[in-house]
């Protein structure tokens, strides 16, 4: 398999899942400004949507959309326990979390990543992101370690990536101590540190 990614983008989520579950895989970086990969390929020819991630399977098929990719990977490696079994209520609960992260939290950052957005639009986006992070903070009020309880799932990995953008966008995570503790908990995992190191997001000595 080959994952097309952009450092620090939402493609970090399937990158972590690939490592956490123990897959053999390749990586290829994508420049989203030029839509060229690091080998010079036209990324639109790989993923006509133009954004990351895209996962090329061993038979040449291409799977896109992070929430779909991470579930597919989890199902290929059930022993990693990164997703509850299909057809269970717990699986639906995980999909509920993935949908919220993708459709509400991830989407709310839009203006904060747009150079063309006005300061008013950026301020409104920060408020929207903050409200959604407050919802996440409340979910951890019962002392759970992860979104579904005590077992890490792909939803936690996606949340780690998307919620982690808050700091660089001027949104205070320390005011949400349970979420901040969750981010540290996930961030300390070897698979997470290795993925971040590979993408150049943390220094090598930090990932050791």
């Amino acid at each position: 398999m080959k994952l097309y990614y952009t450092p620090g983008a939402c493609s970090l989520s399937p990158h972590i899942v690939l490592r956490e579950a123990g897959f053999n895989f390749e990586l290829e970086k994508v420049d989203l400004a030029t839509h060229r990969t690091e080998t010079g390929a036209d990324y639109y020819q790989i993923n006509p949507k133009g954004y990351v991630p895209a996962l090329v399977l061993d038979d040449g098929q291409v799977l896109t959309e992070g929430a779909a990719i991470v579930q597919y990977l989890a199902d290929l490696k059930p022993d990693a326990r990164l997703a509850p079994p299909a057809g269970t209520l717990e699986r639906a609960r995980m999909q509920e979390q993935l949908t919220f992260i993708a459709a509400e939290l991830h989407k709310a950052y839009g203006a904060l990543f747009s150079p063309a957005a006005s300061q008013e639009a950026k301020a409104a986006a920060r408020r929207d992101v903050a409200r959604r992070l407050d919802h996440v903070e409340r979910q951890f009020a019962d002392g759970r370690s992860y979104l579904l309880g005590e077992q890490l799932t792909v939803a936690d990995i996606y949340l780690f990536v998307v919620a982690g953008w808050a700091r660089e966008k001027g949104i205070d995570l320390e005011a949400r101590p349970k979420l901040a503790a969750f981010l540290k908990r996930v961030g300390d995992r070897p698979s997470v540190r290795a993925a971040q190191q590979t993408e150049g997001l943390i220094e090598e000595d930090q990932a050791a």
Side-chain angles (χ1 to χ4, degrees), residues 71 82-101 135 139 144 146-149 153-156:
Q71 289 184 83
L82 291 175
T88 63
L89 178 59
E90 281 299 291
R91 181 56 170 256
R93 291 296 187 196
M94 187 190 76
Q95 291 169 326
E96 179 182 30
Q97 296 286 356
L98 285 170
T99 301
F100 171 79
I101 297 163
H135 167 72
Q139 291 189 79
R144 69 182 72 180
Y146 301 106
L147 288 169
L148 298 188
T153 72
V154 295
D156 297 295

